[in-house]
Amino acid sequence: MIEICNMSKIYRIGNVAVKALDNISLSIKQHEFVSIVGPSGSGKSTLMNMIGCLDVPTSGEYRLDGMEVSGLTDDQLAYIRNHKIGFVFQGFNLIQKLNALENVELPLIYQGIPTSERYERSVEALKLVGLEDRIHHRPAELSGGQQQRVAIARALVGNPQIILADEPTGNLDSKSGKDIINLLKELHLKGSTIVLITHDNDIAMMAERIVRIQDGQINDDRVVS
Amino acid sequence: MSFIQACKMAVKSIKSNKVRSFLTMLGVIIGVSSVIAAVGFAQGSTKSITDMISSMGTNLIQVNIMGRNSNRNVTYSQIKEFAEENSGEITAVAPQSNTSATVKYKTNSRSTNVLGTSPDYQIIRSVYAQQGRFLIQNDLENMQKVAVLGTAVVNDIFEGTSPLGEKIKINGQLFTVVGILEEKDGGQDQGADDIVIIPATVAQRLFRSGMIRNFSIQATSPDTVESAMEKLEEFLAKTYKDSDAFRVFNQAEMLENLDSMTGTMTAVLAGIAAISLIVGGIGIMNIMLVSVTERTKEIGIRKAIGARKKNILVQFLIEAIILTGFGGVLGVAVGLSVIHFIIGGFGLVPEVYSIPWILISFGISLGVGVTFGLFPAYKAASLNPIEALRSE
Ligand SMILES: Nc1ncnc2c1ncn2[C@@H]1O[C@H](COP(=O)(O)OP(=O)(O)OP(=O)(O)O)[C@@H](O)[C@H]1O
Ligand SMILES: [Mg+2]
């Protein structure tokens, strides 16, 4: 499903070049549940952005469902992000002036789902993350963990095949963190492919496979027994 | 994404930032309304002057004597004689000398406009006596000290007593009141009714004005105006031997002169209005630019979860149209109210509404709003989502 081959991402700031991704090759099959771990600044988010079709690599190939992503138009990429991928950002990225429900609805709006169905599905998704009593709150009126859960609800409301979660438990206590992971596991059982970035070894262990990144390179890739 | 959905989103976004929305609209309102009001004022003033000249009739010919040489001179009786010889072209001749003077009745006095003229003035200006009589030819020939009063003068110095047959003093000389003019201007204290009419020959002597410099002449019909003017010029040229010593012109020429004058005024006012439109436009521009920059992150989020470039642009386009369009409508309303309640309401000038200028000012502000709402949105929507998300 996800096939990355010799991918590099180099940021140039002035004369300094930062190799955020250094010749990475990685493939993830459908229905896999993969954790990506590594120290801060090692390139995890950069890799996730590439997988989520949010950014373009400096070099290398990326095939998604057999399609070469670099050959797709802007609108085709938007379609993929909209229909195939649910992305949970490290910094939530909620729209501040919209309330929880309106934020969760957004992917469905761009899918062209009619109002009533959109409302039902969004409320359903918010229930799933335990925020049914906060649907009219704006992000500024929610705690960090609650914002995180809104972001998760938004990622899963469109029933995407792939869920990419960048530190979804970073702002949560261990109990709420566990809840989120159990939710991801449930989605995994229902057939989703899950990629999860985390600092927490215990959480990483709950996946089927752990990929370890250091300095933009994969230095370990193992299946959890 | 449906169009209705896009509209809902735009409205939500406008509502969620009321200050920005208000400021944008304010720019449009100021720009549009000032253009409409300024142009309305200019066109209203033009209309009031044009109306006045038009009301004098298309047969009117005006003669101004400019020469200083008093040895050679055309007198009223010479022109009168000339007119009688050319009765095929000319129906009436009225000399006109306006002087400001003090009129006194008993202890009441007033400064007013004293017009020296002849009986023909009635025909040319359609000014008639409502009581008593107007001037007659005999008054001029025998230098009768008689006066016909406008209602503003009557109201001011007679205080209810009937003026007919009474004696008044003009610059110290006694005159008999023989008539009262019909009201032209509602008897307003200043204006067409603030006038005293005396025989031209008497005025000449009273004010020691030497010669009479202005004559109003009425042609028999609009078709004879040209030939009457030619004959007049010929006649005057014979006396003065200098074509710069006098001017003969008709109503059409007066309107033309006026056109160039009021054209300048309209241009100046339109210039001022255009500046305010530009200032308003810059305001719109600024707020649109700032708000899109502010909203680059929002654009990034929307793109990251699957909005196409087109979705983003449609949303911003609708927002800009609603804001500037609504502002424009309010601006038109404010502009028209200024014309109706202030310019027209205080009777400064007649109310004139210029549809083309309404459309032009509305169109320009809409254009500015849409361009500067859309252009930065286009730039932001062209970024890849991560770049847009990174902006704070
Ligand atoms: N826009 C950018 N411009 C320049 N350098 C960047 C940019 N984004 C990321 N980098 C660099 O790329 C490297 C990888 O960053 P990345 O965000 O992928 O790290 P990460 O593994 O997600 O770290 P963390 O665990 O702290 O989130 C870092 O050294 C960072 O400084
Ligand atoms: Mg990161």
Side-chain angles (χ1 to χ4, degrees), chain B residues 174-193:
Chain B
L174 280 175
F175 281 75
T176 311
V177 177
V178 293
I180 298 171
L181 292 173
E182 282 173 351
E183 211 159 79
K184 278 256 155 174
D185 209 12
Q188 279 181 48
D189 197 48
Q190 248 101 49
D193 297 320

Side-chain angles (χ1 to χ4, degrees), chain A residues 40-209:
Chain A
S40 183
S42 56
K44 304 182 296 293
S45 296
T46 308
L47 176 61
M48 195 70 119
N49 293 341
M50 299 302 163
I51 297 174
C53 300
L54 292 168
D55 207 352
V56 282
T58 313
S59 65
E61 285 158 29
Y62 172 27
R63 289 170 174 279
L64 181 63
D65 280 345
M67 271 181 303
E68 176 55 46
V69 168
S70 63
L72 299 178
T73 64
D74 253 19
D75 281 359
Q76 286 170 320
L77 290 175
Y79 182 90
I80 290 174
R81 291 194 293 265
N82 194 197
H83 288 81
K84 283 199 175 165
I85 295 171
F87 207 114
V88 183
F89 295 91
Q90 191 168 11
F92 321 145
N93 281 336
L94 300 173
I95 296 180
Q96 294 300 317
K97 66 188 176 193
L98 300 181
N99 65 30
L101 180 71
E102 290 163 341
N103 266 293
V104 174
E105 271 185 334
L106 279 179
L108 302 182
I109 289 179
Y110 293 116
Q111 282 180 18
I113 308 273
T115 316
S116 58
E117 182 188 342
R118 214 165 62 210
Y119 177 81
E120 273 167 33
R121 283 173 62 177
S122 306
V123 172
E124 194 59 39
L126 282 164
K127 256 186 204 154
L128 213 56
V129 295
L131 281 178
E132 62 271 34
D133 53 349
R134 293 282 190 282
I135 63 175
H136 295 300
H137 288 236
R138 293 189 179 197
E141 299 154 358
L142 296 169
S143 74
Q146 287 168 332
Q147 291 182 53
Q148 182 73 279
R149 284 186 275 165
V150 175
I152 292 167
R154 184 181 64 187
L156 55 82
V157 74
N159 293 330
Q161 289 165 273
I162 306 170
I163 291 180
L164 306 175
D166 193 347
E167 306 254 11
T169 57
N171 297 284
L172 304 180
D173 57 85
S174 60
K175 157 91 176 53
S176 316
K178 285 262 154 48
D179 290 347
I180 296 294
I181 298 306
N182 287 333
L183 182 64
L184 290 176
K185 273 189 147 175
E186 223 171 279
L187 293 168
H188 175 231
L189 286 179
K190 284 190 201 150
S192 299
T193 308
I194 313 251
V195 182
L196 166 71
I197 294 178
T198 182
H199 275 126
D200 187 326
N201 264 324
D202 289 349
I203 287 175
M205 294 302 280
M206 303 185 75
E208 302 170 328
R209 174 182 165 196

Side-chain angles (χ1 to χ4, degrees), chain B residues 217-230:
Chain B
I217 291 159
Q218 184 172 288
T220 46
S221 77
D223 302 333
T224 55
V225 167
E226 282 296 315
S227 65
M229 283 172 73
E230 272 167 32

